[in-house]
Amino acid sequence: QVQLVESGGGLAPAGGSLRLSCAPSISIFSINLMGWYRQAPGKQRELVARITSGGSTNYVNYADSVKGRFTISRDIAKSTVNLQMNSLKPEDTAVYYCNAFYGKDYWGKGTLVTVSS
């Protein structure tokens, strides 16, 4: 069983920045695939970014809508996966969920990001 705790959501103006963090209950070294998803009101949950650890190399994927604005990273020292969100747009408003695959999918409870126009 893996618990995921997200933090860092909140309110930001359009063009602003927020940083989300996800802390798993087990060592981040044990989890090769982690990511961030989001769900806006009335919409399906969608992938935002994910990071796969392949030994000394990390592989990242981004949704087209966030490429060039969002950056996913692993902080080994803090054992967290972070999502730096810059140049925020009102359409980024959603509940953001941390995801980890460790034999099966695990999800955090979500953190709300609201971007005002």
Side-chain angles (χ1 to χ4, degrees):
Q1 195 78 354
V2 179
Q3 282 80 46
L4 302 172
V5 178
E6 302 113 332
S7 61
L11 176 65
S17 299
L18 285 172
R19 183 178 177 85
L20 306 182
S21 289
C22 175
S25 59
I26 63 173
S27 170
I28 197 170
F29 283 110
S30 301
I31 308 172
N32 290 332
L33 176 59
M34 293 189 69
W36 287 94
Y37 289 71
R38 68 186 180 187
Q39 188 166 17
K43 294 188 177 181
Q44 290 188 328
R45 191 174 297 189
E46 62 176 2
L47 173 69
V48 176
R50 62 185 170 198
I51 185 166
T52 305
S53 175
S56 60
T57 304
N58 291 321
Y59 302 91
V60 298
N61 299 94
Y62 296 97
D64 287 343
S65 58
V66 307
K67 282 181 181 177
R69 301 188 297 122
F70 291 11
T71 303
I72 189 170
S73 62
R74 284 159 53 104
D75 187 328
I76 301 301
K78 296 182 179 179
S79 196
T80 59
V81 170
N82 305 310
L83 185 68
Q84 178 66 41
M85 306 185 294
N86 298 329
S87 302
L88 285 163
K89 303 177 180 180
E91 51 263 43
D92 294 319
T93 295
V95 177
Y96 284 70
Y97 296 91
C98 180
N99 168 266
F101 184 79
Y102 185 68
K104 66 176 185 179
D105 278 315
Y106 291 90
W107 297 92
K109 293 183 178 180
T111 184
L112 177 62
V113 170
T114 303
V115 183
S116 60
S117 57

Coordinates of all heavy atoms in Angstrom, one line a residue, residues 20-117:
L20 N 3.7 22.2 -7.1 CA 3.0 21.1 -6.4 C 4.1 20.1 -6.0 O 5.1 19.8 -6.8 CB 2.0 20.4 -7.3 CG 0.9 21.3 -7.9 CD1 -0.1 20.5 -8.7 CD2 0.2 22.1 -6.8
S21 N 3.9 19.5 -4.9 CA 4.8 18.4 -4.4 C 3.9 17.2 -4.1 O 2.8 17.3 -3.6 CB 5.6 18.8 -3.2 OG 6.6 19.8 -3.6
C22 N 4.5 16.0 -4.3 CA 3.9 14.8 -3.9 C 4.9 13.9 -3.2 O 6.0 13.6 -3.7 CB 3.4 14.0 -5.2 SG 2.8 12.4 -4.9
A23 N 4.5 13.5 -1.9 CA 5.4 12.7 -1.1 C 4.8 11.3 -0.9 O 3.7 11.2 -0.3 CB 5.6 13.4 0.3
P24 N 5.4 10.3 -1.5 CA 4.9 8.9 -1.3 C 5.4 8.4 0.1 O 6.3 8.9 0.7 CB 5.6 8.2 -2.4 CG 6.9 8.9 -2.7 CD 6.6 10.3 -2.4
S25 N 4.6 7.4 0.6 CA 4.9 6.9 1.9 C 6.0 5.9 1.9 O 6.4 5.4 3.0 CB 3.6 6.2 2.5 OG 3.2 5.2 1.6
I26 N 6.5 5.5 0.7 CA 7.7 4.6 0.6 C 8.8 5.4 -0.1 O 8.5 6.5 -0.7 CB 7.3 3.3 -0.1 CG1 6.9 3.6 -1.6 CG2 6.2 2.6 0.6 CD1 6.7 2.3 -2.4
S27 N 10.0 4.8 -0.1 CA 11.1 5.5 -0.8 C 10.8 5.7 -2.2 O 10.3 4.9 -2.9 CB 12.3 4.6 -0.6 OG 13.4 5.2 -1.5
I28 N 11.1 6.9 -2.7 CA 10.9 7.3 -4.1 C 11.7 6.4 -5.0 O 11.4 6.2 -6.2 CB 11.2 8.8 -4.3 CG1 10.6 9.2 -5.6 CG2 12.7 9.0 -4.3 CD1 10.6 10.7 -5.8
F29 N 12.8 5.8 -4.5 CA 13.6 4.9 -5.3 C 12.9 3.6 -5.6 O 13.2 3.0 -6.6 CB 14.9 4.5 -4.5 CG 15.9 5.6 -4.5 CD1 16.2 6.3 -3.3 CD2 16.6 5.9 -5.6 CE1 17.2 7.3 -3.3 CE2 17.6 6.9 -5.6 CZ 17.9 7.6 -4.5
S30 N 11.8 3.3 -4.9 CA 11.1 2.1 -5.1 C 10.0 2.3 -6.2 O 9.5 1.3 -6.7 CB 10.4 1.6 -3.8 OG 11.3 1.4 -2.8
I31 N 9.8 3.5 -6.6 CA 8.7 3.8 -7.5 C 9.3 4.3 -8.8 O 9.9 5.4 -8.8 CB 7.7 4.8 -7.0 CG1 7.2 4.4 -5.6 CG2 6.5 5.0 -7.9 CD1 6.4 5.4 -4.9
N32 N 9.1 3.6 -9.9 CA 9.8 4.0 -11.2 C 8.9 5.0 -12.0 O 9.4 5.7 -12.8 CB 10.1 2.8 -12.0 CG 11.2 1.9 -11.5 OD1 12.1 2.4 -10.8 ND2 11.1 0.6 -11.7
L33 N 7.6 4.9 -11.8 CA 6.7 5.7 -12.6 C 5.8 6.6 -11.6 O 5.0 6.0 -10.9 CB 5.9 4.9 -13.5 CG 4.8 5.6 -14.3 CD1 5.5 6.6 -15.2 CD2 4.0 4.6 -15.2
M34 N 5.9 7.9 -11.8 CA 5.0 8.7 -11.0 C 4.6 9.9 -12.0 O 5.2 10.2 -13.0 CB 5.7 9.3 -9.8 CG 6.1 8.3 -8.7 SD 6.7 9.1 -7.2 CE 5.1 9.9 -6.6
G35 N 3.5 10.4 -11.6 CA 3.0 11.5 -12.5 C 1.9 12.4 -11.9 O 1.5 12.1 -10.7
W36 N 1.5 13.3 -12.6 CA 0.5 14.3 -12.2 C -0.6 14.2 -13.2 O -0.4 14.3 -14.4 CB 1.0 15.7 -12.0 CG 1.9 15.9 -10.9 CD1 3.2 15.8 -10.8 CD2 1.4 16.2 -9.5 NE1 3.7 16.1 -9.5 CE2 2.6 16.3 -8.7 CE3 0.2 16.5 -8.9 CZ2 2.5 16.6 -7.4 CZ3 0.1 16.8 -7.6 CH2 1.3 16.9 -6.8
Y37 N -1.9 14.1 -12.7 CA -3.1 14.2 -13.5 C -3.9 15.3 -13.0 O -3.7 15.8 -11.9 CB -3.8 12.9 -13.4 CG -3.2 11.7 -14.1 CD1 -2.0 11.1 -13.6 CD2 -3.7 11.2 -15.3 CE1 -1.4 10.1 -14.3 CE2 -3.2 10.1 -16.0 CZ -2.0 9.6 -15.4 OH -1.4 8.5 -16.1
R38 N -4.9 15.8 -13.8 CA -5.8 16.8 -13.4 C -7.2 16.5 -13.9 O -7.4 15.9 -14.9 CB -5.3 18.2 -13.8 CG -5.4 18.4 -15.3 CD -4.8 19.8 -15.6 NE -4.8 20.1 -17.1 CZ -4.2 21.1 -17.6 NH1 -3.5 22.0 -16.9 NH2 -4.3 21.3 -18.9
Q39 N -8.1 17.0 -13.1 CA -9.5 16.9 -13.5 C -10.2 18.2 -13.3 O -10.3 18.7 -12.2 CB -10.2 15.8 -12.7 CG -11.6 15.5 -13.2 CD -12.1 14.2 -12.7 OE1 -11.6 13.6 -11.7 NE2 -13.2 13.6 -13.3
A40 N -10.7 18.8 -14.4 CA -11.4 20.1 -14.3 C -12.9 19.7 -14.2 O -13.3 18.6 -14.5 CB -11.2 20.9 -15.6
P41 N -13.7 20.7 -13.7 CA -15.1 20.4 -13.5 C -15.8 20.0 -14.8 O -15.6 20.6 -15.9 CB -15.7 21.8 -13.0 CG -14.5 22.4 -12.4 CD -13.3 22.0 -13.2
G42 N -16.5 18.9 -14.8 CA -17.2 18.4 -15.9 C -16.4 17.7 -17.0 O -16.9 17.4 -18.1
K43 N -15.1 17.5 -16.7 CA -14.2 16.9 -17.6 C -13.6 15.6 -17.0 O -13.6 15.4 -15.8 CB -13.1 17.9 -18.0 CG -13.6 19.1 -18.8 CD -12.4 19.9 -19.4 CE -12.9 21.0 -20.2 NZ -11.8 21.8 -20.8
Q44 N -13.0 14.8 -17.9 CA -12.4 13.6 -17.5 C -11.0 13.9 -16.9 O -10.4 14.9 -17.3 CB -12.3 12.6 -18.6 CG -13.6 12.0 -19.1 CD -13.4 10.9 -20.1 OE1 -12.5 10.9 -20.9 NE2 -14.3 9.9 -20.0
R45 N -10.5 13.0 -16.1 CA -9.1 13.2 -15.6 C -8.2 13.0 -16.7 O -8.3 12.1 -17.6 CB -8.9 12.1 -14.5 CG -7.6 12.4 -13.7 CD -7.5 11.4 -12.5 NE -8.5 11.6 -11.6 CZ -8.6 11.0 -10.4 NH1 -7.6 10.2 -10.0 NH2 -9.6 11.2 -9.6
E46 N -7.1 13.8 -16.8 CA -6.2 13.7 -17.9 C -4.8 13.8 -17.4 O -4.5 14.4 -16.3 CB -6.4 14.9 -18.9 CG -6.2 16.3 -18.3 CD -6.3 17.4 -19.3 OE1 -6.6 17.1 -20.5 OE2 -6.1 18.6 -18.9
L47 N -3.9 13.2 -18.1 CA -2.5 13.2 -17.8 C -1.9 14.6 -18.0 O -2.1 15.2 -19.0 CB -1.7 12.2 -18.6 CG -0.2 12.3 -18.5 CD1 0.3 11.8 -17.1 CD2 0.5 11.4 -19.6
V48 N -1.1 15.1 -17.0 CA -0.4 16.4 -17.1 C 1.0 16.1 -17.5 O 1.6 16.6 -18.4 CB -0.6 17.2 -15.9 CG1 0.3 18.5 -16.0 CG2 -2.0 17.5 -15.6
A49 N 1.7 15.3 -16.6 CA 3.1 15.0 -16.8 C 3.4 13.7 -16.0 O 2.8 13.5 -15.0 CB 4.0 16.2 -16.3
R50 N 4.4 13.0 -16.5 CA 4.8 11.8 -15.8 C 6.3 11.7 -16.0 O 6.9 12.1 -16.9 CB 4.1 10.6 -16.2 CG 4.3 10.2 -17.6 CD 3.4 9.0 -18.0 NE 3.4 8.7 -19.4 CZ 2.5 8.0 -20.0 NH1 1.5 7.4 -19.3 NH2 2.6 7.7 -21.3
I51 N 6.9 11.0 -15.0 CA 8.3 10.8 -15.0 C 8.6 9.4 -14.7 O 8.1 8.8 -13.7 CB 9.0 11.8 -14.0 CG1 10.5 11.7 -14.1 CG2 8.5 11.6 -12.6 CD1 11.2 12.9 -13.4
T52 N 9.5 8.8 -15.5 CA 9.9 7.4 -15.4 C 11.4 7.4 -15.1 O 12.2 8.0 -15.8 CB 9.6 6.6 -16.6 OG1 8.2 6.8 -17.0 CG2 9.9 5.1 -16.4
S53 N 11.7 6.7 -14.0 CA 13.1 6.5 -13.6 C 13.7 5.3 -14.3 O 13.2 4.2 -14.1 CB 13.3 6.4 -12.1 OG 14.6 6.2 -11.8
G54 N 14.8 5.5 -15.1 CA 15.5 4.4 -15.7 C 16.9 4.4 -15.3 O 17.8 4.8 -16.0
G55 N 17.2 4.0 -14.1 CA 18.5 4.0 -13.5 C 18.9 5.5 -13.3 O 18.3 6.2 -12.5
S56 N 19.9 5.9 -14.0 CA 20.4 7.3 -13.8 C 19.7 8.3 -14.7 O 20.0 9.5 -14.6 CB 21.9 7.3 -14.0 OG 22.2 6.9 -15.4
T57 N 18.8 7.8 -15.5 CA 18.1 8.7 -16.4 C 16.7 8.8 -16.1 O 16.0 7.7 -15.8 CB 18.3 8.2 -17.9 OG1 19.7 8.1 -18.1 CG2 17.7 9.2 -18.9
N58 N 16.1 10.0 -16.2 CA 14.6 10.1 -16.0 C 14.0 10.4 -17.4 O 14.6 11.2 -18.1 CB 14.3 11.3 -15.0 CG 14.7 10.9 -13.6 OD1 14.5 9.8 -13.2 ND2 15.3 11.9 -12.9
Y59 N 12.9 9.8 -17.6 CA 12.2 10.1 -18.9 C 10.9 10.8 -18.5 O 10.2 10.4 -17.6 CB 11.9 8.8 -19.6 CG 13.1 8.0 -19.9 CD1 13.6 7.0 -19.0 CD2 13.8 8.2 -21.1 CE1 14.7 6.3 -19.3 CE2 15.0 7.5 -21.4 CZ 15.4 6.5 -20.5 OH 16.5 5.8 -20.8
V60 N 10.6 11.9 -19.2 CA 9.4 12.7 -18.9 C 8.5 12.8 -20.1 O 9.0 12.8 -21.2 CB 9.8 14.1 -18.4 CG1 10.6 14.0 -17.1 CG2 10.6 14.9 -19.4
N61 N 7.2 12.9 -19.8 CA 6.2 13.1 -20.8 C 5.3 14.2 -20.3 O 5.0 14.3 -19.1 CB 5.4 11.8 -21.1 CG 6.3 10.7 -21.6 OD1 6.7 9.9 -20.8 ND2 6.5 10.7 -22.9
Y62 N 4.8 15.0 -21.3 CA 3.9 16.1 -20.9 C 2.7 16.1 -21.9 O 2.9 15.8 -23.0 CB 4.6 17.5 -21.0 CG 5.8 17.7 -20.1 CD1 7.1 17.5 -20.5 CD2 5.5 18.1 -18.8 CE1 8.1 17.7 -19.6 CE2 6.6 18.3 -17.9 CZ 7.9 18.1 -18.3 OH 8.9 18.3 -17.4
A63 N 1.6 16.6 -21.3 CA 0.5 16.8 -22.2 C 0.9 18.0 -23.1 O 1.6 18.9 -22.7 CB -0.7 17.2 -21.4
D64 N 0.4 18.0 -24.3 CA 0.7 19.1 -25.2 C 0.3 20.5 -24.7 O 1.0 21.5 -24.9 CB 0.0 18.9 -26.6 CG 0.6 17.8 -27.4 OD1 1.7 17.4 -27.1 OD2 -0.1 17.3 -28.3
S65 N -0.8 20.5 -23.9 CA -1.3 21.8 -23.4 C -0.4 22.4 -22.3 O -0.6 23.6 -22.0 CB -2.7 21.6 -22.8 OG -2.6 20.6 -21.7
V66 N 0.6 21.6 -21.8 CA 1.4 22.2 -20.7 C 2.9 22.2 -21.1 O 3.7 22.7 -20.4 CB 1.3 21.4 -19.4 CG1 -0.2 21.4 -19.0 CG2 1.9 20.1 -19.5
K67 N 3.2 21.7 -22.3 CA 4.6 21.7 -22.7 C 5.2 23.1 -22.8 O 4.6 24.0 -23.3 CB 4.7 21.0 -24.1 CG 4.7 19.5 -24.1 CD 4.8 19.0 -25.5 CE 4.7 17.4 -25.5 NZ 4.8 16.9 -26.8
G68 N 6.4 23.2 -22.2 CA 7.0 24.5 -22.2 C 6.6 25.4 -21.0 O 7.3 26.4 -20.8
R69 N 5.6 25.0 -20.3 CA 5.2 25.8 -19.1 C 5.3 25.0 -17.8 O 5.6 25.6 -16.8 CB 3.7 26.2 -19.3 CG 3.4 27.0 -20.5 CD 2.0 27.5 -20.5 NE 1.0 26.4 -20.5 CZ 0.0 26.2 -19.6 NH1 0.0 27.0 -18.6 NH2 -0.8 25.2 -19.7
F70 N 5.1 23.7 -17.8 CA 5.2 22.9 -16.6 C 6.5 22.0 -16.7 O 6.9 21.6 -17.8 CB 4.0 22.0 -16.5 CG 2.7 22.6 -16.2 CD1 2.6 24.0 -16.3 CD2 1.6 21.9 -15.9 CE1 1.3 24.6 -16.0 CE2 0.4 22.5 -15.6 CZ 0.2 23.9 -15.7
T71 N 7.0 21.7 -15.5 CA 8.2 20.9 -15.4 C 8.0 19.9 -14.3 O 7.7 20.3 -13.1 CB 9.5 21.7 -15.2 OG1 9.7 22.6 -16.2 CG2 10.7 20.8 -15.1
I72 N 8.1 18.6 -14.6 CA 8.0 17.6 -13.5 C 9.5 17.2 -13.2 O 10.3 17.1 -14.0 CB 7.2 16.4 -14.0 CG1 6.9 15.4 -12.9 CG2 7.8 15.7 -15.2 CD1 5.9 14.3 -13.2
S73 N 9.7 16.9 -11.9 CA 11.0 16.5 -11.5 C 10.9 15.6 -10.2 O 9.9 15.6 -9.5 CB 11.9 17.7 -11.2 OG 11.3 18.5 -10.1
R74 N 12.0 14.9 -10.0 CA 12.1 14.1 -8.8 C 13.2 14.7 -7.9 O 14.2 15.1 -8.3 CB 12.6 12.7 -9.1 CG 11.5 11.8 -9.7 CD 12.1 10.6 -10.4 NE 13.1 9.8 -9.7 CZ 12.8 8.6 -9.1 NH1 11.6 8.1 -9.3 NH2 13.7 8.0 -8.5
D75 N 12.8 15.0 -6.6 CA 13.7 15.5 -5.6 C 14.1 14.3 -4.7 O 13.4 13.9 -3.9 CB 13.1 16.6 -4.8 CG 14.1 17.3 -3.9 OD1 15.0 16.6 -3.4 OD2 13.9 18.5 -3.6
I76 N 15.3 13.8 -5.0 CA 15.7 12.6 -4.3 C 16.0 12.9 -2.8 O 15.6 12.1 -2.0 CB 17.0 12.0 -4.9 CG1 16.8 11.7 -6.4 CG2 17.5 10.8 -4.2 CD1 15.7 10.6 -6.6
A77 N 16.5 14.0 -2.5 CA 16.8 14.4 -1.2 C 15.6 14.5 -0.3 O 15.6 14.0 0.8 CB 17.6 15.7 -1.1
K78 N 14.5 15.0 -0.9 CA 13.2 15.1 -0.2 C 12.3 14.0 -0.4 O 11.2 13.9 0.2 CB 12.6 16.5 -0.5 CG 13.4 17.7 -0.1 CD 12.6 19.0 -0.4 CE 13.5 20.2 0.0 NZ 12.8 21.5 -0.3
S79 N 12.6 13.1 -1.4 CA 11.8 12.0 -1.7 C 10.4 12.5 -2.2 O 9.4 12.0 -1.7 CB 11.7 11.0 -0.6 OG 11.2 9.7 -1.1
T80 N 10.4 13.4 -3.1 CA 9.2 14.0 -3.6 C 9.2 14.0 -5.1 O 10.3 14.1 -5.7 CB 8.9 15.4 -3.1 OG1 9.9 16.2 -3.4 CG2 8.7 15.4 -1.6
V81 N 8.1 14.1 -5.7 CA 7.9 14.4 -7.1 C 7.2 15.7 -7.2 O 6.2 15.9 -6.6 CB 7.2 13.3 -7.9 CG1 6.9 13.8 -9.3 CG2 8.0 12.1 -8.0
N82 N 7.8 16.7 -8.0 CA 7.3 18.0 -8.0 C 6.8 18.4 -9.4 O 7.3 17.9 -10.4 CB 8.4 19.0 -7.6 CG 9.0 18.6 -6.2 OD1 8.2 18.4 -5.3 ND2 10.3 18.5 -6.1
L83 N 5.9 19.3 -9.4 CA 5.4 19.9 -10.7 C 5.5 21.4 -10.6 O 4.7 22.0 -9.8 CB 3.9 19.4 -10.9 CG 3.4 19.9 -12.3 CD1 4.1 19.1 -13.4 CD2 1.9 19.6 -12.4
Q84 N 6.4 22.0 -11.3 CA 6.5 23.4 -11.4 C 5.7 23.9 -12.5 O 5.8 23.5 -13.6 CB 8.0 23.8 -11.6 CG 8.2 25.3 -11.7 CD 7.9 26.0 -10.4 OE1 8.3 25.6 -9.3 NE2 7.3 27.2 -10.5
M85 N 4.7 24.8 -12.1 CA 3.8 25.3 -13.1 C 4.0 26.8 -13.3 O 3.8 27.5 -12.4 CB 2.3 25.0 -12.7 CG 2.1 23.5 -12.3 SD 0.4 23.1 -12.0 CE 0.2 24.0 -10.4
N86 N 4.4 27.1 -14.5 CA 4.6 28.5 -14.8 C 3.7 29.0 -15.9 O 3.0 28.2 -16.6 CB 6.1 28.8 -15.3 CG 7.1 28.4 -14.3 OD1 6.9 28.6 -13.1 ND2 8.3 27.9 -14.7
S87 N 3.6 30.3 -16.1 CA 2.7 30.9 -17.1 C 1.3 30.2 -17.1 O 0.7 29.8 -18.1 CB 3.3 30.6 -18.5 OG 4.6 31.2 -18.6
L88 N 0.8 30.2 -15.9 CA -0.5 29.6 -15.7 C -1.6 30.3 -16.4 O -1.6 31.5 -16.6 CB -0.9 29.5 -14.2 CG -0.1 28.5 -13.4 CD1 -0.2 28.8 -11.9 CD2 -0.6 27.1 -13.7
K89 N -2.6 29.4 -16.9 CA -3.7 29.9 -17.6 C -5.0 29.5 -16.9 O -5.0 28.6 -16.1 CB -3.8 29.3 -19.0 CG -2.5 29.6 -19.9 CD -2.6 28.8 -21.2 CE -1.4 29.1 -22.0 NZ -1.4 28.3 -23.3
P90 N -6.1 30.3 -17.1 CA -7.4 29.9 -16.4 C -7.8 28.5 -16.7 O -8.4 27.8 -15.9 CB -8.4 30.9 -17.0 CG -7.5 32.1 -17.3 CD -6.2 31.6 -17.8
E91 N -7.4 28.0 -17.9 CA -7.8 26.6 -18.3 C -7.0 25.6 -17.5 O -7.3 24.4 -17.7 CB -7.7 26.4 -19.8 CG -6.4 26.8 -20.4 CD -6.5 28.2 -21.0 OE1 -7.1 29.1 -20.4 OE2 -6.0 28.4 -22.1
D92 N -6.0 26.0 -16.8 CA -5.2 25.0 -15.9 C -6.0 24.8 -14.6 O -5.5 23.9 -13.8 CB -3.8 25.6 -15.6 CG -3.0 25.7 -16.8 OD1 -3.0 24.8 -17.7 OD2 -2.2 26.7 -17.0
T93 N -7.0 25.5 -14.4 CA -7.8 25.3 -13.1 C -8.4 23.9 -13.1 O -9.0 23.4 -14.0 CB -9.0 26.3 -13.1 OG1 -8.4 27.6 -12.9 CG2 -9.9 26.0 -11.9
A94 N -8.1 23.2 -12.0 CA -8.5 21.8 -11.9 C -8.0 21.3 -10.5 O -7.2 21.9 -9.8 CB -7.9 20.9 -13.0
V95 N -8.5 20.1 -10.2 CA -7.9 19.3 -9.1 C -6.8 18.5 -9.6 O -7.0 17.8 -10.6 CB -8.9 18.5 -8.4 CG1 -8.3 17.6 -7.3 CG2 -10.1 19.3 -7.8
Y96 N -5.6 18.6 -9.0 CA -4.4 17.9 -9.5 C -4.1 16.7 -8.6 O -4.1 16.9 -7.4 CB -3.2 18.9 -9.5 CG -3.2 19.8 -10.7 CD1 -4.2 20.9 -10.8 CD2 -2.4 19.7 -11.8 CE1 -4.2 21.7 -11.8 CE2 -2.4 20.6 -12.9 CZ -3.3 21.6 -12.9 OH -3.4 22.4 -14.0
Y97 N -3.9 15.6 -9.2 CA -3.7 14.3 -8.5 C -2.3 13.8 -8.8 O -1.9 13.7 -9.9 CB -4.8 13.3 -8.9 CG -6.2 13.7 -8.6 CD1 -7.0 14.3 -9.5 CD2 -6.8 13.3 -7.4 CE1 -8.3 14.7 -9.2 CE2 -8.1 13.6 -7.1 CZ -8.8 14.3 -8.0 OH -10.1 14.6 -7.7
C98 N -1.7 13.4 -7.7 CA -0.5 12.6 -7.9 C -0.8 11.2 -8.1 O -1.7 10.6 -7.5 CB 0.4 12.8 -6.6 SG 2.0 12.0 -6.6
N99 N 0.0 10.6 -8.9 CA -0.2 9.1 -9.3 C 1.2 8.4 -9.2 O 2.2 9.0 -9.5 CB -0.7 9.0 -10.7 CG -0.7 7.6 -11.2 OD1 0.3 7.2 -11.9 ND2 -1.7 6.8 -10.9
A100 N 1.1 7.2 -8.7 CA 2.3 6.4 -8.6 C 1.9 5.0 -9.1 O 0.9 4.5 -8.7 CB 2.9 6.3 -7.2
F101 N 2.8 4.3 -9.9 CA 2.5 2.9 -10.2 C 3.5 2.1 -9.5 O 4.7 2.2 -9.7 CB 2.7 2.7 -11.7 CG 2.3 1.3 -12.1 CD1 1.0 0.9 -12.2 CD2 3.3 0.3 -12.3 CE1 0.7 -0.4 -12.5 CE2 3.0 -1.0 -12.6 CZ 1.7 -1.3 -12.7
Y102 N 3.0 1.2 -8.6 CA 3.8 0.3 -7.8 C 3.1 -1.0 -7.7 O 2.4 -1.3 -6.7 CB 4.1 1.0 -6.4 CG 5.0 0.2 -5.5 CD1 6.3 0.1 -5.8 CD2 4.5 -0.4 -4.3 CE1 7.2 -0.6 -4.9 CE2 5.4 -1.1 -3.5 CZ 6.7 -1.2 -3.8 OH 7.6 -1.9 -3.0
G103 N 3.2 -1.7 -8.8 CA 2.4 -2.9 -8.9 C 0.9 -2.6 -9.4 O 0.3 -3.4 -10.1
K104 N 0.4 -1.5 -8.9 CA -0.9 -1.0 -9.4 C -0.8 0.5 -9.2 O 0.1 1.1 -8.7 CB -2.0 -1.6 -8.6 CG -2.0 -1.3 -7.1 CD -3.2 -1.8 -6.4 CE -3.3 -1.4 -5.0 NZ -4.5 -1.9 -4.3
D105 N -1.9 1.1 -9.7 CA -2.0 2.6 -9.6 C -2.4 3.0 -8.2 O -3.3 2.5 -7.6 CB -3.0 3.1 -10.6 CG -2.4 3.3 -12.0 OD1 -1.2 3.8 -12.1 OD2 -3.0 2.9 -13.0
Y106 N -1.7 4.0 -7.7 CA -2.1 4.7 -6.5 C -2.3 6.1 -6.7 O -1.6 6.7 -7.6 CB -1.0 4.5 -5.4 CG -0.8 3.1 -4.9 CD1 0.0 2.2 -5.5 CD2 -1.6 2.6 -3.8 CE1 0.2 0.9 -5.1 CE2 -1.5 1.3 -3.4 CZ -0.6 0.5 -4.0 OH -0.5 -0.8 -3.5
W107 N -3.3 6.7 -6.0 CA -3.6 8.1 -6.2 C -3.6 8.9 -4.9 O -4.0 8.4 -3.9 CB -5.0 8.2 -6.8 CG -5.1 7.6 -8.2 CD1 -5.5 6.3 -8.5 CD2 -4.9 8.2 -9.4 NE1 -5.4 6.1 -9.8 CE2 -5.1 7.3 -10.4 CE3 -4.5 9.5 -9.8 CZ2 -4.9 7.5 -11.8 CZ3 -4.3 9.8 -11.1 CH2 -4.5 8.8 -12.1
G108 N -3.2 10.1 -5.0 CA -3.4 11.0 -3.9 C -4.8 11.5 -3.8 O -5.7 11.2 -4.7
K109 N -5.1 12.3 -2.8 CA -6.5 12.8 -2.7 C -6.8 14.1 -3.5 O -7.9 14.4 -3.7 CB -6.8 13.2 -1.2 CG -6.8 12.0 -0.3 CD -7.1 12.4 1.2 CE -7.1 11.1 2.0 NZ -7.4 11.5 3.5
G110 N -5.7 14.7 -4.0 CA -5.9 15.8 -4.9 C -5.7 17.1 -4.3 O -5.9 17.3 -3.1
T111 N -5.2 18.1 -5.0 CA -5.0 19.4 -4.5 C -5.6 20.4 -5.6 O -5.3 20.2 -6.8 CB -3.6 19.7 -4.2 OG1 -3.4 21.0 -3.6 CG2 -2.7 19.7 -5.4
L112 N -6.3 21.4 -5.1 CA -7.0 22.3 -6.0 C -6.1 23.4 -6.5 O -5.5 24.1 -5.7 CB -8.3 22.9 -5.4 CG -9.1 23.9 -6.2 CD1 -9.6 23.2 -7.5 CD2 -10.2 24.4 -5.3
V113 N -6.1 23.6 -7.8 CA -5.4 24.7 -8.4 C -6.4 25.6 -9.1 O -7.1 25.1 -10.0 CB -4.3 24.3 -9.4 CG1 -3.7 25.4 -10.2 CG2 -3.2 23.5 -8.6
T114 N -6.4 26.9 -8.7 CA -7.4 27.8 -9.3 C -6.6 29.0 -9.9 O -5.8 29.6 -9.2 CB -8.4 28.4 -8.3 OG1 -9.1 27.3 -7.7 CG2 -9.4 29.3 -9.0
V115 N -6.8 29.2 -11.2 CA -6.1 30.3 -11.9 C -7.1 31.3 -12.3 O -8.0 31.1 -13.0 CB -5.3 29.8 -13.1 CG1 -4.5 30.9 -13.8 CG2 -4.4 28.6 -12.8
S116 N -6.9 32.5 -11.8 CA -7.8 33.6 -12.0 C -7.4 34.4 -13.3 O -6.2 34.6 -13.5 CB -7.9 34.5 -10.8 OG -6.6 35.1 -10.6
S117 N -8.4 34.8 -14.0 CA -8.1 35.6 -15.2 C -8.0 37.1 -15.0 O -8.3 37.5 -13.9 CB -9.2 35.3 -16.3 OG -10.5 35.7 -15.7

